[in-house]
Amino acid sequence: MSDRIIGPGDSPPQKYRVEAEPDPAALVAPTMREMSEPTDGIAPTPVWLLLFFFVLAGWSGYYIARNAGGFRADIYNEHYIAGAAPSLEKPAPADPLVLGRQTFNVCMQCHQDTGKGIPGTYPPLEGSPVVLGDPATPVRILLHGLQGDITIEGATYNGQMPSWDRFSDEQIAAVLTYVRQAWTNSAHPVDPALVAAIRKQTGERAQPWTWPELVIASKTPPPSATEPAEPKPAKP
Amino acid sequence: MSAIAVSPEAAPDVTADYVTRVQIDRSCRQTVLGYYASAVAWLLIGSLAALITSVKMHHPEFLGNYEWITFGRIRPVHLNTVVYGWSSMVGIGTTLWLEARLCKVRLPHRALLPATVIIWNAGVVWGVYEVLAGHSTGVEWLEFPPQVLGIFGFVLLVLFWVSLKMFNQRHVHHTYVSQWYLFGSVVWFPILYSAAILLPTTGMVGGAAWATTNWWYAHNVLGLYVTPMGLATIYYLIPKVTGKPIYSYHLSLLGFWANALFYSWIGTHHLVGGPLPAWIITLGIVGSIMMFVPVTTVAINHHMTMIGKFHMLKTSPTLRFVVFGAVSYTAVSYQGSLEALRSVSHVAHFTHYTIAHAHLGMYSFYTMTMFGAMYYIVPRLTRNEWSSVPLIKIHFWTTSLGVLAYFCALSWAGWYEGEMMNNPLIPFIKIVDYTKPYLVARSLSGSFMTIGHIAFAILVFRILRSSDVSMIGPTLFTSKRGMMRWRRKEA
């Protein structure tokens, strides 16, 4: 290829194989010892390369046709097919155990991955009568938090439980379902409708619960969780 | 160094253009050396910020008592010093020199241009101060206060004006491919930069559209500003050092225009899964895949030019750095095209994998290419030689091996991090624990690269400071300083 050179207007085509011995003076100054400015060869574009580009362009057309959502500003799902009615069906409900495990990542920082808590500070979740008993109590704790001492099976814990009311009903139900069935625990799943009902009932509350208050609250009749707007399957 | 020297195949052009070249180099001297010296200083500062950031990733308590260098501040300082300090300034310096050489005209406005060095530096210093003081805008790649636009914008307009002027007064008939790329970056970057700042600050875009604008900008910085400067340098220096013409004019054309056509689409591939209309993201992905066209073209063009000259990698520091950059360009671009696919992005995005990819581009391609450019250009401007072969060797091996180790460690960690994050049953803390050894490996390889930067800074400091007339001839890898083995071999 090296003998095919475009001759730019200002420098005539030249051969690059020069027999002459270089001038020693050329070695002195960096500017002096360099080659002339670069030029272009005229090798043609390989045919296989052009074919490759046509294949890519074809794929691109196919990909746009399949994934562009009809170029509509209101279509966010690339699988939308033009002409089909926009999908109104709700996404399938998340498996509460998977969602719960995911949500448990925040609980784990205090109650530990093992669910055994930290002695004196964070009570255990494994085997705890509060967790395994009436689900209304842990739901109340999650919604508003808990402060002050709590005694579980003879041991006292004084950590501060924050409120998690920013979690959705489904998420709170899922994480409690997970905790009630993780490790050696085995209790019924928690219904998101129960969380919604308690959230409504205690919505006015601004302070975290204390354990004595929770004991009183647990004696009041549980909120009417029997009439959920739409029953959510919360089976494990 | 001055890579070139005399190779057995080609004789230096000692008569024809010599006087012109001396005049051009003299006209560039103050401005380009000013940009280069500042760039190297920012490279050192950027490396320091990078190391602090990197150590904080695995030891969060490291220097934790100093509010000014908390992670959220020092990390953007690293990004902005290496982008607007090192990369921009070394790029502008190289651009000016290459344009003057390619147009065969002296650099115009020789009073104004050295002042732009000071002005640009002032912009970076101000921006870094604001970020360290906690006034970052929080917009990635644009953490500096929006008012910096006034400073950088002014310099960019001057550059545009100077480039236009040189091009209009050019003494060459044929426009070489490097010239197209340089002109592209000089025109495109001011548009990108001002649009990315003005659209949100004037309230024309907000919310998801702001994010789109921002990724459009952040990716186009790479493809329409940094890449053209890097490719122009490679296109210039490979033929210049080897003495061979570039393989194919047709491939150069195809590569340039395909890059110009497709690159500006692709920023939205960072928003896969984000709240944007599907077609915007789909077009971003298609643009990314179509980048196979310019990248393959450029790769063939560079490779075919290098064929028969690979032995020169043993001697020429310029060529070795530049070819390392050229190979990395192909690698990073192919990787980037594939990363844009929805299925790959689903795993790789928002992990260390993306960080590894970014460094393959900005460091392994662009920075290594610019090191090569400086090895070639600085001796011509100072009329001195690089003082030490061992320092150049240290520079090459620490930076090249460092960035490879960096890339491998973070790519591996990032991919598995992505796979684990997609599995809700794996607690997040376990993923953090998994990546920790790789983050330590990043700090180590980063330290390696920093050692190389220090060696390079010493070389630059010496060549700027001293004029050792006893050094005659280029500094090549194979020669001890002052002993030109390549000539003896020829004799």
Side-chain angles (χ1 to χ4, degrees), chain B residues 1 10 27 92 124 186 201 204 273-274 294 304 314 318 360 488 491:
Chain B
M1 64 95 315
S27 73
I92 292 171
V124 184
V186 163
T201 47
M204 288 169 78
M304 297 305 283
K314 275 189 242 161
T318 294
L360 191 62
R488 285 198 316 203

Side-chain angles (χ1 to χ4, degrees), chain A residues 23-45:
Chain A
D23 178 0
L27 306 174
V28 177
T31 316
M32 211 174 206
R33 61 173 178 249
E34 65 187 61
M35 306 289 175
S36 52
E37 298 302 328
T39 52
D40 301 284
I42 51 163
T45 308

Side-chain angles (χ1 to χ4, degrees), chain A residues 13-224:
Chain A
Q14 51 183 287
K15 293 266 180 184
Y16 276 79
R17 289 186 174 277
V18 179
E19 304 299 327
E21 185 75 11
D23 178 0
L27 306 174
V28 177
T31 316
M32 211 174 206
R33 61 173 178 249
E34 65 187 61
M35 306 289 175
S36 52
E37 298 302 328
T39 52
D40 301 284
I42 51 163
T45 308
V47 175
W48 64 264
L49 191 65
L50 291 175
L51 285 176
F52 172 57
F53 296 160
F54 280 118
V55 170
L56 276 183
W59 176 87
S60 297
Y62 172 78
Y63 191 79
I64 291 176
R66 289 296 298 269
N67 292 284
F71 287 94
R72 283 173 53 172
D74 58 342
I75 300 297
Y76 286 55
N77 176 5
E78 70 270 18
H79 299 305
Y80 166 82
I81 294 161
S87 168
L88 292 175
E89 68 189 59
K90 293 193 172 166
D95 180 352
L97 282 185
V98 173
L99 178 64
R101 180 70 187 83
Q102 205 172 2
T103 311
F104 186 72
N105 277 331
V106 301
C107 318
M108 209 169 75
Q109 294 166 28
C110 298
H111 294 288
Q112 305 302 308
D113 200 16
T114 56
K116 294 193 192 310
I118 304 269
T121 314
Y122 305 120
L125 302 176
E126 186 183 20
S128 161
V130 179
V131 170
L132 299 175
D134 176 14
T137 302
V139 168
R140 286 192 183 97
I141 296 176
L142 255 69
L143 283 175
H144 286 96
L146 174 66
Q147 64 183 10
D149 288 354
I150 178 172
T151 304
I152 306 276
E153 293 184 326
T156 304
Y157 302 88
N158 62 1
Q160 172 91 23
M161 170 82 181
S163 154
W164 296 102
D165 64 344
R166 61 192 158 87
F167 284 167
S168 67
D169 299 337
E170 283 75 16
Q171 214 170 354
I172 289 181
V175 73
L176 283 177
T177 302
Y178 170 77
V179 166
R180 280 158 70 91
Q181 299 183 352
W183 315 295
T184 57
N185 289 355
S186 170
H188 292 298
V190 178
D191 188 347
L194 175 72
V195 182
I198 295 179
R199 198 194 285 272
K200 202 172 162 192
Q201 188 189 45
T202 61
E204 302 290 310
R205 193 179 175 86
Q207 293 296 316
W209 295 97
T210 60
W211 182 244
E213 284 177 331
L214 277 173
V215 174
I216 296 166
S218 68
K219 288 183 178 136
T220 61
S224 50

Side-chain angles (χ1 to χ4, degrees), chain A residues 29-34, chain B residues 2 21-37 90 92-98 100-101 107 373-386 463-464 466-467:
Chain A
T31 316
M32 211 174 206
R33 61 173 178 249
E34 65 187 61
Chain B
S2 113
R21 285 205 300 261
V22 169
Q23 284 176 338
I24 291 171
D25 288 357
R26 197 174 289 156
S27 73
C28 291
R29 182 186 156 96
Q30 225 178 348
T31 309
V32 175
L33 288 180
Y35 272 107
Y36 278 175
V90 75
I92 292 171
T94 308
T95 299
L96 289 172
W97 184 82
L98 283 179
R101 279 296 192 96
L107 198 65
M374 283 184 70
Y375 276 118
Y376 190 83
I377 297 169
V378 174
R380 280 159 180 75
L381 300 179
T382 58
R383 300 181 74 92
N384 288 339
E385 305 291 350
W386 295 104
I463 200 170
L464 291 178
S466 65
S467 167

Side-chain angles (χ1 to χ4, degrees), chain B residues 375-455:
Chain B
Y375 276 118
Y376 190 83
I377 297 169
V378 174
R380 280 159 180 75
L381 300 179
T382 58
R383 300 181 74 92
N384 288 339
E385 305 291 350
W386 295 104
S387 56
S388 163
V389 177
L391 279 180
I392 302 179
K393 282 185 177 162
I394 290 172
H395 180 209
F396 178 77
W397 288 111
T398 50
T399 50
S400 58
L401 295 179
V403 74
L404 283 179
Y406 183 110
F407 175 75
C408 294
L410 283 196
S411 296
W412 182 275
W415 188 263
Y416 281 93
E417 184 192 5
E419 293 278 11
M420 286 193 283
M421 286 206 294
N422 284 343
N423 180 352
L425 297 182
I426 299 178
F428 190 71
I429 190 70
K430 291 213 166 136
I431 306 176
V432 175
D433 280 343
Y434 171 79
T435 57
K436 221 173 148 181
Y438 298 96
L439 297 177
V440 175
R442 160 162 67 185
S443 293
L444 291 177
S445 48
S447 316
F448 236 64
M449 285 141 77
T450 308
I451 291 171
H453 300 162
I454 293 169

